[in-house]
Amino acid sequence: MTSILVVDDEKMIANVLERVLRKDGFQVTCAHNGLEALRFLQRDTFNAVMMDMLMPELNGGEVLEWIRAHKPDLKVIMMTAYGDEHTKEELLQRGAAAVVAKPFEDVMIIPGLIRKIILSRP
Amino acid sequence: MASTGRIAHLGDSPPDWLAGVEPYSEDTPVEVLVVEEKRLSPQLLRRWEKTHVPPALVILHTDRFKYWRYLADRRMLLPPITLPQGASRTQAEKAISRALELHRSHKRLMALRGHHNRSWNFESDPALRLITDLVHDCTKAESVQDLLRAIESLRGVIEYQDATAVICDRKGNLITQLPNSFLDAGTNFSLPDEGVTLLRPGDPGAEPLHQITDEPWSAAIVTTLKLATTPQRKSTPFYAHFVLFRRDLFPFSDKDLWLLELAFGPLSLAWEKVVMLQAISRASKEWRATFDAITQPVTVINENFEIIKANTAFASLIGKNIKQIKGRRCHALLAGRRTPCPQCPAAKGSNLVFGARITGRNKKELLAWSYGIHLENERYNFQFYRDVSEESALASALIQSEKMAALGKLVSAIAHEINNPLAGILATSQLLLADAGALSEAAREDLDEIRQAATRSKKIIADLLGFTGDSAAESTDIDVRAAIQAALTFSKSALQYIRVHTDIPEKLPSRPGKSGQLQQILFNLITNAAHAMGEKGDLYLSAEALDGGKAKITIRDTGPGIPAARLATIFDPFHTSKAEGKGTGLGLSIVRNLVVRLGGQIRVESPAGQGTSFHIIL
């Protein structure tokens, strides 16, 4: 089963994503800050990570760097409330596979997006 | 009365200074007769004409003296002196002593001529007629040239063919001379004191005259006038010399001398008047020039706010000819008001009031200073103005841009904070709606409301972030034509019922910048126009190339237009004419921000009932 790590300090978003992805057949683990996410990443294996940018403790950018250093094949989809071109560009350069602006156009298309990214070549 | 002479008075209401003066009686000969204007009559004058030494007249007149013409026609032997009814004691004393002088010099001349026992006959004495002409001309003279012309008539009186006259000052500096004069200007000599003097070469005092003529002369008559008023200095007495020279062998006769002495009185009066007129006209010109040289607008107003004087800077401030200003009220000219401006410093009455701000026509901002002065019991105000419209506009633009920057930061921070919970709300409502099978119809509808509200909030935040300029994109050359086409394509749904007319030339200059920004500008303006027109209307989109590689884009609609009162604020954030929930009030604000970011300008026109036009110059 495809396993996804969802990281967002906004619990509501994490919950929604968890439910939407489960419904679509993913196995979902939720973390609510960067440190927690790091613990899951060290322990378990995931097919993709969907992570918010701005978080307490350890932010998305720092976790992204850790992933790039330790798990170069893991696909990371970044979420950001700063949906501007500049932020997107920067995150893609830092190794994100995709950047999704918050609020989402339609949350229901996210499982499809993740699937597409997992299948894509690095 | 201090004068020592025989004075009489003819009239009903003698002024105070005539106290003690005898009333006029025909039997007692007098030297000076103070006569009230209304008592003058042709009979009286005729009687005096028959007397061989008539009294010198001081005519007391009310208001303006109207008798001149009549007297001039009568060719009075002794020019009458006029005095206003309300004249002061000093003025009266001066007039009377001059009249006495006239009378006595005349009497002396009469003795000289041996006319004691003959009565005057004007008709039979051509010389006298010429003299009276001279008197008449002198009283009318307004310039030195006029005087000279009058004096020239003396050529005929003094029976010589080879003579000339000069007017020079005490030091012999030539002031002016008759045309064809054979004289040169002399220097440094003194001429006889007041009066008329006949000089021959070798006479004491005649020496200086050799300096003003380099040709031999046989006789000269020097008429010296002592003047109180000079064109240059008011305090120093000024002497003017009329010098008549003769070159032939025959000296001037006594008669010539007598005739000149006769002319002395009116000549000196006329000269004084001319000098005074010159001084006044010079002073007035100087004052005018100084006043106009002030580059700041200045006016002098009276207590009724009527403009007494204004300089050219003031005239150009209000865009009127200087001649149209005098007598108008300052508030009418400056601010188009019927009452004084509420902040007017002149209305405050104190002596010096510092810069008060008044609003003039065409929204001009003026800083006004006022300085109050009292002249002859009347109050005047010097008003100084400075046009500060530009400074104010700059200052408010600065404040505006600072405000916008602060607002931008605030909005950006809030928008990002809200985006997170909003993302949760929106996503949750979408998720719930996706598997809504278990929900009741009513619950589903409520849920959809939540989803719609959240979507709207998302758009508002996107607008806000766009407005604060947090969007980044590649800066390239903008193809204006392509941007217009793209904007039209995007706004197709809004333009469903609207006829679109385009007039876009094939070639338009390209501008550096982000194409997306221009598209956004046009999209906002087009959708605004569409909303303004409602169901149907016409939208005109045109573009043209301007000089200097610029392009002008015009978007015109046939909607109801924008009320004049709101035109000034439509570009402000959160200004909207739409119903609550329909617009964020940021559309035009974003438009202006983007236009400014592209280095362009935007203007709006909305003549009543003729729709609205936006002009963008990039």
Side-chain angles (χ1 to χ4, degrees), chain B residues 25-41:
Chain B
S25 122
E26 273 181 51
D27 309 325
T28 326
V30 288
E31 289 174 298
V32 174
L33 176 59
V34 180
V35 55
E36 281 173 29
E37 185 182 3
K38 56 178 182 251
R39 295 294 292 268
L40 278 176
S41 70

Side-chain angles (χ1 to χ4, degrees), chain A residues 27-43:
Chain A
Q27 185 187 330
V28 182
T29 310
C30 275
H32 297 301
N33 61 53
L35 272 182
E36 203 181 333
L38 216 57
R39 278 200 290 276
F40 282 124
L41 282 165
Q42 284 167 330
R43 198 184 66 194

Side-chain angles (χ1 to χ4, degrees), chain B residues 238-280:
Chain B
F238 176 79
Y239 293 86
H241 305 281
F242 296 84
V243 188
L244 280 164
F245 287 98
R246 186 146 209 195
R247 280 198 298 180
D248 66 15
L249 295 171
F250 305 98
F252 287 107
S253 68
D254 284 347
K255 187 190 172 196
D256 297 334
L257 189 64
W258 166 75
L259 284 167
L260 269 176
E261 203 157 312
L262 205 57
F264 175 76
L267 207 57
S268 68
L269 277 176
W271 174 253
E272 189 124 8
K273 176 179 139 198
V274 163
V275 167
M276 207 123 75
L277 277 175
Q278 268 186 333
I280 290 168

Side-chain angles (χ1 to χ4, degrees), chain B residues 189-191 199-212 217:
Chain B
F189 62 92
S190 57
L191 286 169
L199 290 173
R200 294 184 180 80
D203 282 352
E207 198 58 31
L209 294 185
H210 293 301
Q211 291 183 25
I212 42 174
W217 52 277

Side-chain angles (χ1 to χ4, degrees), chain B residues 273-521:
Chain B
K273 176 179 139 198
V274 163
V275 167
M276 207 123 75
L277 277 175
Q278 268 186 333
I280 290 168
S281 118
R282 182 193 306 242
S284 131
K285 274 184 201 147
E286 275 173 7
W287 194 79
R288 177 91 248 165
T290 314
F291 200 45
D292 280 344
I294 304 169
T295 50
Q296 220 171 302
V298 181
T299 60
V300 182
I301 58 168
N302 65 13
E303 277 171 309
N304 299 325
F305 298 92
E306 285 157 358
I307 294 175
I308 310 292
K309 298 263 181 210
N311 66 354
T312 45
F314 182 81
S316 67
L317 171 74
I318 58 162
K320 274 199 163 29
N321 190 304
I322 194 117
K323 290 188 182 109
Q324 300 170 275
I325 292 174
K326 206 175 164 187
R328 306 277 307 272
R329 282 164 203 255
C330 56
H331 43 82
L333 287 176
L334 279 170
R337 297 175 56 93
R338 285 159 167 273
T339 51
C341 307
Q343 311 86 340
C344 178
K348 300 210 185 341
S350 59
N351 263 354
L352 178 60
V353 180
F354 291 101
R357 200 170 279 263
I358 61 176
T359 311
R361 275 166 193 257
N362 307 326
K363 300 207 166 166
K364 264 201 178 115
E365 289 246 19
L366 298 169
L367 224 48
W369 289 263
S370 184
Y371 189 77
I373 44 171
H374 286 275
L375 274 184
E376 289 166 6
N377 295 331
E378 282 184 59
R379 192 188 157 81
Y380 296 92
N381 275 85
F382 269 97
Q383 301 279 106
F384 303 86
Y385 301 96
R386 194 152 68 84
D387 186 351
V388 291
S389 321
E390 219 164 288
E391 287 166 43
S392 302
L394 277 176
S396 64
L398 198 66
I399 292 169
Q400 178 70 3
S401 72
E402 278 172 4
K403 250 162 55 181
M404 294 309 288
L407 184 66
K409 278 181 197 150
L410 181 72
V411 163
S412 169
I414 294 173
H416 290 128
E417 282 305 313
I418 290 177
N419 255 350
N420 268 318
L422 185 63
I425 296 169
L426 185 59
T428 310
S429 60
Q430 285 166 346
L431 170 68
L432 287 174
L433 278 168
D435 47 18
L439 296 173
S440 69
E441 181 71 14
R444 224 172 26 236
E445 272 171 25
D446 290 347
L447 204 52
D448 196 46
E449 291 262 331
I450 294 172
R451 187 189 58 81
Q452 280 179 25
T455 309
R456 222 162 41 232
S457 308
K458 173 175 166 335
K459 185 175 176 325
I460 292 171
I461 287 168
D463 275 355
L464 280 171
L465 291 176
F467 165 69
T468 57
D470 265 2
S471 307
E474 283 298 302
S475 197
T476 51
D477 273 358
I478 301 174
D479 182 342
V480 175
R481 198 179 146 80
I484 296 173
Q485 293 298 354
L488 274 175
T489 314
F490 288 139
S491 35
K492 236 178 199 157
S493 68
L495 295 172
Q496 223 168 347
Y497 304 105
I498 286 160
R499 284 186 298 276
V500 179
H501 312 261
T502 53
D503 175 16
I504 300 147
E506 286 293 324
K507 278 215 133 203
L508 276 173
S510 63
R511 303 276 305 154
K514 298 167 189 167
S515 270
Q517 291 184 342
L518 181 57
Q519 276 175 34
Q520 167 102 54
I521 292 167

Side-chain angles (χ1 to χ4, degrees), chain A residues 3-50:
Chain A
S3 172
I4 309 286
L5 174 65
V6 172
V7 192
D8 199 322
D9 58 321
E10 186 70 40
K11 291 203 172 123
M12 197 176 185
I13 295 174
N15 285 347
V16 171
L17 285 172
E18 185 182 0
R19 283 172 61 189
V20 169
L21 291 170
R22 281 229 172 95
K23 207 167 155 254
D24 224 87
F26 289 94
Q27 185 187 330
V28 182
T29 310
C30 275
H32 297 301
N33 61 53
L35 272 182
E36 203 181 333
L38 216 57
R39 278 200 290 276
F40 282 124
L41 282 165
Q42 284 167 330
R43 198 184 66 194
D44 305 327
T45 308
F46 298 98
N47 296 85
V49 178
M50 186 150 188

Side-chain angles (χ1 to χ4, degrees), chain B residues 162-164 177 180-185 201 206-220 245-248:
Chain B
D162 197 11
T164 194
Q177 59 182 308
N180 311 319
S181 170
F182 60 85
L183 300 170
D184 289 328
E207 198 58 31
L209 294 185
H210 293 301
Q211 291 183 25
I212 42 174
T213 169
D214 48 9
E215 290 191 34
W217 52 277
S218 61
F245 287 98
R246 186 146 209 195
R247 280 198 298 180
D248 66 15

